[in-house]
Amino acid sequence: RLVRLLQVVKLTKRFRQLRVLIEALLTGLAAVGYVAVLILVFNFILGVAGVNYFKENDGLNFGSMARAMTTLYRIETLQAWEQILYVEMFGCERYWPPVLEAEQASRCKTSQASGYPVFIFFAVVVVFGALVMPSLLVAVITAAVKESNYELESSANTEQRVRLVRDLYKASLSDHDAATYEHLFKIADKNGSGA
């Protein structure tokens, strides 16, 4: 069964775009990891701020660090984030989503209306968490795909040039000599421009 699975890998040689995507994902994995760490640190800092400022008013969403991180994810995915905003702006006694009335009674310790300044916190979470960070992730993946595509085209151009030279000097140039020239060309071509 493992041998059959490895046959799928052979498909990448046949389909150029599939090969480009797989190579891009593998080469861009480190950069994607760095962006994921950046997102995690960003959410952690905002989670600590949310627990410190909103715990007393909204124990359901910001009662612990785990709840705060889950709430931040909910805000970043724009899933009914305005309800959480209204609870923080107007206080848990004045506004609470009707679905959570029973849960609210046990979690609302002291209702503190934070007013409009809390909007700044939510604006930072929405703008950076929902718009900037995912765009950064897409940009990293796009750059990796572009780089992988350029490398693949560059190697294809080099192979085509070697074949052309070999065809021109077929009688006097062996495969070993062609490989040697290709290696020397790669050494001389420091910037990878092919010129």
Side-chain angles (χ1 to χ4, degrees):
R1 291 181 189 220
L2 186 60
V3 174
R4 287 182 186 171
L5 183 63
L6 291 175
Q7 289 176 350
V8 175
V9 176
K10 289 182 181 179
L11 285 176
T12 62
K13 291 180 182 177
R14 190 177 298 179
F15 299 109
R16 181 178 170 272
Q17 290 299 332
L18 182 62
R19 189 166 123 200
V20 168
L21 284 175
I22 290 173
E23 286 179 8
L25 288 175
L26 292 177
T27 57
L29 202 57
V32 169
Y34 291 135
V35 172
V37 168
L38 181 67
I39 291 171
L40 187 64
V41 168
F42 175 77
N43 283 347
F44 183 78
I45 291 169
L46 290 175
V48 168
V51 168
N52 285 334
Y53 294 124
F54 307 131
K55 183 177 183 176
E56 295 299 318
N57 183 48
D58 186 5
L60 179 64
N61 292 315
F62 292 100
S64 66
M65 194 61 192
R67 286 182 180 267
M69 293 293 277
T70 305
T71 301
L72 286 172
Y73 179 73
R74 181 176 162 194
I75 295 168
E76 289 170 351
T77 57
L78 305 176
Q79 181 64 38
W81 68 277
E82 68 279 353
Q83 294 177 352
I84 302 166
L85 172 68
Y86 295 150
V87 170
E88 305 311 328
M89 282 177 67
F90 304 123
C92 59
E93 285 181 1
R94 188 164 170 214
Y95 179 85
W96 199 263
V99 185
L100 304 171
E101 288 296 330
E103 187 87 32
Q104 183 261 349
S106 65
R107 300 279 183 182
C108 183
K109 297 174 183 163
T110 52
S111 181
Q112 297 173 346
S114 300
Y116 289 101
V118 80
F119 184 75
I120 295 170
F121 175 83
F122 280 82
V124 167
V125 173
V126 168
V127 168
F128 285 98
L131 303 174
V132 173
M133 295 294 181
S135 297
L136 183 62
L137 189 64
V138 169
V140 165
I141 293 172
T142 303
V145 168
K146 186 175 180 180
E147 181 182 335
S148 179
N149 196 15
Y150 174 76
E151 288 176 6
L152 191 65
E153 285 178 1
S154 176
S155 68
N157 286 341
T158 303
E159 289 174 13
Q160 184 180 8
R161 288 180 192 160
V162 167
R163 268 189 260 118
L164 183 66
V165 168
R166 190 176 1 178
D167 289 344
L168 288 173
Y169 301 102
K170 199 170 201 176
S172 63
L173 192 63
S174 68
D175 288 339
H176 176 66
D177 292 339
T180 303
Y181 284 131
E182 181 181 0
H183 178 70
L184 291 174
F185 179 76
K186 285 182 180 178
I187 292 172
D189 188 26
K190 293 180 181 177
N191 65 357
S193 66

